[in-house]
Amino acid sequence: MRGKLLFGAATAALLLAMPAAAQDVDQPGDASTQARISVGTTDGAISPAGDTDWYRLRVEEGQRYTIALDANSESEVDAIDPVLTIYNEAGEQVAYNDDSNGSLNSQVAYNASAAGDVFVEARAFNEASTGAYRFTISAAAIPPDDAGNDANTRATAATGRDINGTIEYEGDSDWYRLNVRTGQRYRIALNTNAGAETPLGDPYLRLVDSEGTELNASDDSEGSLNSLLEYTPQANGTVYVVASAYADAYQGGYTLRVDSERAPTDGTSANRNTRGRLSLGQPLNASLDFAGDSDWYRIRLTEGQSYRFRLNSGEGDNALGDPLIKLIGPDGVELAMDDDGGGNLNSYLEFMAPTTGNYFVEARGFMDDAVGAYTLIASEGEIPADATTDVSLSAEGDYREGVLAPAGDKDWYRLELAEGQSVRIGLTSAESADPLPDPYLILYGADGAELTRDDDSGDGLNAWLEYTATSAGPVFVEARGFGEDAAGRYVISLNAGEVGDNAEMAEYLAANSEGRVSLIGSEGDVDWFAVDLVEGRPYRFYVDGYEPGPLADPLLTLLDENGQQLAQDDDGGAGLNSYLSFTSVTGGRYYLAVSGYAGVQGRYFIRAIDTEVPGGVNSDEYLDGAGDDRINRIEIPGDVDSYHVELEAGVRYTIDVRGHGDSPLGDAFLTVLDANGERVASDDDAGSGMDARLRFTPLTGGSYILQASGLGGSTGGYQIQIAR
């Protein structure tokens, strides 16, 4: 429901004080605009639908501009929902607002740090909306600040005393220098100052370094809107305490206080002086004992040797919730990090030592204040390429990043499945400097026998397969490259269950990929595949039964982005298989739904081709000489579609090419070529009307090509059919 259109007091005053300027010509919606606005009011309109208006606004250093964008209509029904955005001279967004002051109108405050032009954009939240709007702009000097708003601040925070300050305006922030030392734990509180003339509504506290990188932050704590955080520094130095308001939406007085105490200690420090040691193959059980704690362990690694590190949550109620592992070089510089690569929020790292020496493994939590028990394990060597592997995937869903090195390496993952449990597994090249070029995925049973494999069923050269366990127990997922010398980084992902039966759970199918092998596993099962089509390009979609246990009679349905059926086919492919041809008028996302006719079940192979039927001897279309048909289109004058077929010597065949569909081919023509591409027979109008029909008895058996075309430049839909 549209809210009431409200005008603030300042806006109303300005509206009464000065007349509104009007823009006579619709201005561009980008930085090329020459339209200007200034302090006061300016009227404009969003028209037509999708319109965006940009204005230049001259701002002066040290001025604070309040810019309101209101719907300018007496009727709520006709009023737009305005959206206001401010861009700097480089076209970068610096401020944005949709709804403000309890209404659908918009308002922002902008502090000018330098003189020059900024761009003010007006648009409607709903791109289909049109209507009038009004800008109201006021300017005033930026109030003096009691603390700087960056690392150049001269304000300091000392432990053990209160600092009373003020957020002078919305968007203001006060920075305080704080000198910190290792071995100390700092407790920093930012509270609203109830005794101030205007108490700060919702304090927001941050701790940053000299580069502005956030070290910690707090919004609401201890059941109030006040903020509180604890910080244990890893090194001596200066950090900055930043006092502000949540969402920069408030102003008023606050009280800041910093207290410190000696930090709790454990036997494992967080630096190169640590006494902690990690031995290969020996699990280490320990814990993070206080907020900000992290444990470093020294380990000696050998140049060129591969290692695996796992950091898991410990046992019991006091387990570390979300472990994070880092590998530190001999010089104390971070070399690698992982958060959730071990599954179930656990961490996992593979690493090849560039030099021989002492390295450090850091165990910590994802959040700085995390505490709890953990288990750390270091193993020598690559992930095993057999059933002895010590890494596993979760059948409930998983995501891992790995690396194949050296060339020809293979990684095995253990996967426990219940009888009848289905999973979908993808193996893709990682987005890194050294991606695995052509991933290859193989699934093995508990006895090491191959169950299934895939090369390019995913997007591009990536691999994908679906598997349903025939019995309970482990299976093994092998990640490898297509070539024997393949190496590089990869991502393995696992989704629980079969392919979904709706847009949200659909698997992606890339046109011209090798396709997907999947399963209709129960009566009523339907698998959806999302496919992106290009406007005006013809596509062909195939669903064929696939051994072992093929789907005997596939049913294929094409749906639009809203799930509305556009086309359906049962037996248009070879035998009882399905086939559809389709040319997208608009392009975009479509869905292919696969099911079994009359409830049949089994494995199938689905693929999408983004070209029409080829016209030469290299066509990829085939007909079954025992009896088959296809429905297609002659798209442009002179187009020819070719179909391979195996025919027997001395057997009589009837071949038809007839107009089909809402826009049928006007004058069908049929040609028969031999295996050498030489014409051996043809027909124009022997069928009904101007359709083609040929009764053909080959003298020799073998491969032939049937060509469908339209005479006189005719185009349209057709059906080609052969009967023995």
Side-chain angles (χ1 to χ4, degrees):
M1 180 179 292
R2 175 172 290 277
K4 294 183 178 179
L5 301 175
L6 304 176
F7 295 89
T11 302
L14 283 168
L15 287 172
L16 294 172
M18 56 188 67
Q23 296 292 326
D24 297 327
V25 180
D26 187 47
Q27 56 280 347
D30 54 41
S32 67
T33 183
Q34 297 303 313
R36 284 195 172 273
I37 54 176
S38 58
V39 171
T41 56
T42 302
D43 289 341
I46 298 299
S47 181
D51 183 28
T52 300
D53 294 345
W54 278 41
Y55 298 87
R56 293 176 179 267
L57 171 65
R58 175 73 183 184
V59 297
E60 301 297 334
E61 183 178 359
Q63 291 289 300
R64 175 177 172 82
Y65 294 83
T66 301
I67 306 169
L69 176 62
D70 300 328
N72 192 12
S73 173
E74 295 181 357
S75 169
E76 289 188 16
V77 176
D78 298 330
I80 63 170
D81 179 0
V83 176
L84 173 62
T85 309
I86 313 298
Y87 301 89
N88 62 19
E89 287 186 290
E92 300 166 332
Q93 180 178 313
V94 294
Y96 167 89
N97 180 257
D98 177 15
D99 303 330
S100 69
N101 299 323
S103 75
L104 294 179
N105 294 315
S106 301
Q107 180 174 303
V108 300
Y110 176 72
N111 297 330
S113 58
D117 280 354
V118 295
F119 296 100
V120 182
E121 177 191 79
R123 64 179 177 87
F125 179 79
N126 185 339
E127 291 187 358
S129 299
T130 60
Y133 60 79
R134 171 167 290 180
F135 275 114
T136 305
I137 303 176
S138 62
I142 297 175
D145 204 351
D146 53 12
N149 57 9
D150 56 31
N152 295 317
T153 183
R154 295 184 178 179
T156 60
T159 59
R161 66 180 179 89
D162 291 341
I163 300 174
N164 292 318
T166 304
I167 299 300
E168 276 83 11
Y169 50 86
E170 294 175 11
D172 183 24
S173 64
D174 292 347
W175 287 43
Y176 295 87
R177 292 173 176 266
L178 175 64
N179 294 321
V180 295
R181 299 184 62 81
T182 59
Q184 294 289 307
R185 180 168 63 182
Y186 295 84
R187 179 184 173 92
I188 307 171
L190 179 66
N191 299 325
T192 186
N193 186 351
E197 181 178 348
T198 302
L200 183 60
D202 188 354
Y204 186 70
L205 175 63
R206 293 193 305 139
L207 193 67
V208 302
D209 62 18
S210 59
E211 303 296 324
T213 302
E214 187 175 289
L215 303 174
N216 204 344
S218 171
D219 177 20
D220 303 331
S221 69
E222 299 180 341
S224 73
L225 294 179
N226 294 319
S227 300
L228 176 68
L229 60 82
E230 292 186 350
Y231 175 65
T232 303
Q234 303 299 319
N236 298 334
T238 300
V239 296
Y240 297 85
V241 180
V242 181
S244 62
Y246 178 74
D248 292 331
Y250 306 93
Q251 61 188 55
Y254 62 82
T255 299
L256 175 67
R257 183 178 178 89
V258 181
D259 291 296
S260 67
E261 62 182 7
R262 182 174 293 278
T265 59
D266 57 17
T268 312
S269 62
N271 52 50
R272 288 184 294 169
N273 297 321
T274 180
R275 295 181 179 179
R277 298 292 186 269
L278 181 62
S279 300
L280 291 170
Q282 298 181 16
L284 187 152
N285 296 305
S287 64
L288 301 180
D289 300 315
F290 53 88
D293 187 17
S294 70
D295 295 341
W296 284 35
Y297 296 92
R298 186 188 303 269
I299 186 171
R300 187 165 184 81
L301 305 181
T302 302
E303 178 180 353
Q305 178 64 52
S306 295
Y307 300 89
R308 309 189 304 280
F309 302 93
R310 285 178 288 158
L311 180 63
N312 299 335
S313 296
E315 301 293 335
D317 296 335
N318 190 36
L320 179 60
D322 188 355
L324 185 146
I325 190 171
K326 293 184 179 182
L327 191 67
I328 314 296
D331 56 359
V333 176
E334 180 182 318
L335 300 176
M337 183 273 290
D338 180 74
D339 177 21
D340 299 328
N344 298 321
L345 298 182
N346 293 316
S347 298
Y348 175 86
L349 267 181
E350 285 185 81
F351 180 74
M352 179 180 291
T355 59
T356 298
N358 289 324
Y359 291 75
F360 302 91
V361 180
E362 179 182 7
R364 57 173 299 166
F366 177 76
M367 302 297 294
D368 287 337
D369 58 353
V371 296
Y374 62 81
T375 299
L376 178 61
I377 306 170
S379 304
E380 188 175 42
E382 301 282 344
I383 295 177
D386 54 38
T388 65
T389 182
D390 59 350
V391 291
S392 60
L393 296 172
S394 170
E396 302 306 315
D398 216 328
Y399 175 94
R400 304 293 178 87
E401 296 184 10
V403 59
L404 298 180
D409 184 27
K410 305 176 183 66
D411 291 349
W412 277 39
Y413 294 82
R414 183 185 181 96
L415 175 61
E416 291 285 344
L417 295 175
E419 182 177 354
Q421 188 172 9
S422 298
V423 292
R424 288 161 285 146
I425 307 170
L427 183 67
T428 62
S429 299
E431 295 182 0
S432 64
D434 56 342
L436 179 63
D438 188 356
Y440 200 83
L441 186 61
I442 304 178
L443 204 63
Y444 298 92
D447 58 358
E450 182 178 321
L451 299 172
T452 185
R453 66 169 59 199
D454 182 76
D455 179 16
D456 300 327
S457 289
D459 189 15
L461 295 178
N462 293 317
W464 181 93
L465 59 80
E466 182 180 18
Y467 176 74
T468 300
T470 57
S471 60
V475 295
F476 296 93
V477 180
E478 179 183 270
R480 57 174 295 177
F482 180 77
E484 290 298 326
D485 58 349
R489 296 188 178 276
Y490 63 83
V491 173
I492 188 168
S493 58
L494 185 147
N495 291 310
E498 297 182 279
V499 178
D501 61 356
N502 54 63
E504 289 73 24
M505 298 295 292
E507 279 287 342
Y508 184 76
L509 178 68
N512 291 336
S513 69
E514 287 198 357
R516 298 287 181 90
V517 175
S518 193
L519 175 73
I520 298 299
S522 61
E523 185 174 351
D525 186 17
V526 181
D527 293 350
W528 279 39
F529 294 86
V531 58
D532 292 324
L533 306 185
V534 177
E535 177 183 348
R537 174 169 284 183
Y539 290 83
R540 291 171 286 144
F541 308 111
Y542 305 77
V543 179
D544 300 312
Y546 194 81
E547 296 286 354
L551 181 62
D553 191 355
L555 179 65
L556 175 62
T557 305
L558 177 68
L559 308 107
D560 65 16
E561 63 179 348
N562 299 314
Q564 298 299 311
Q565 180 176 317
L566 299 175
Q568 188 176 72
D569 179 73
D570 178 17
D571 301 329
L576 296 179
N577 292 315
S578 297
Y579 172 91
L580 275 176
S581 61
F582 179 73
T583 300
S584 171
V585 177
T586 60
R589 176 60 57 88
Y590 291 79
Y591 297 93
L592 299 172
V594 181
S595 58
Y597 183 78
V600 299
Q601 303 166 34
R603 283 157 53 89
Y604 64 86
F605 177 59
I606 182 171
R607 60 192 176 107
I609 306 297
D610 73 346
T611 57
E612 62 175 2
V613 178
V617 296
N618 294 320
S619 175
D620 58 352
E621 283 283 357
Y622 288 83
L623 293 174
D624 185 346
D628 207 350
D629 66 272
R630 293 285 191 281
I631 295 172
N632 255 308
R633 292 186 61 82
I634 297 299
E635 300 285 348
I636 59 175
D639 185 19
V640 177
D641 292 352
S642 295
Y643 299 84
H644 291 278
V645 63
E646 292 288 328
L647 303 180
E648 299 178 35
V651 175
R652 187 180 186 186
Y653 296 89
T654 300
I655 309 169
D656 290 277
V657 177
R658 61 178 70 96
H660 183 84
D662 296 334
S663 179
L665 181 61
D667 190 356
F669 190 77
L670 170 64
T671 305
V672 181
L673 308 178
D674 64 17
N676 298 317
E678 299 293 332
R679 180 186 292 191
V680 295
S682 64
D683 181 74
D684 179 13
D685 300 327
S688 176
M690 302 184 75
D691 292 336
R693 167 171 282 192
L694 182 65
R695 291 181 174 87
F696 176 64
T697 303
L699 298 177
T700 59
S703 297
Y704 289 82
I705 298 172
L706 309 182
Q707 291 188 327
S709 59
L711 290 183
S714 60
T715 61
Y718 69 87
Q719 181 184 44
I720 184 170
Q721 185 176 46
I722 184 170
R724 187 177 189 275

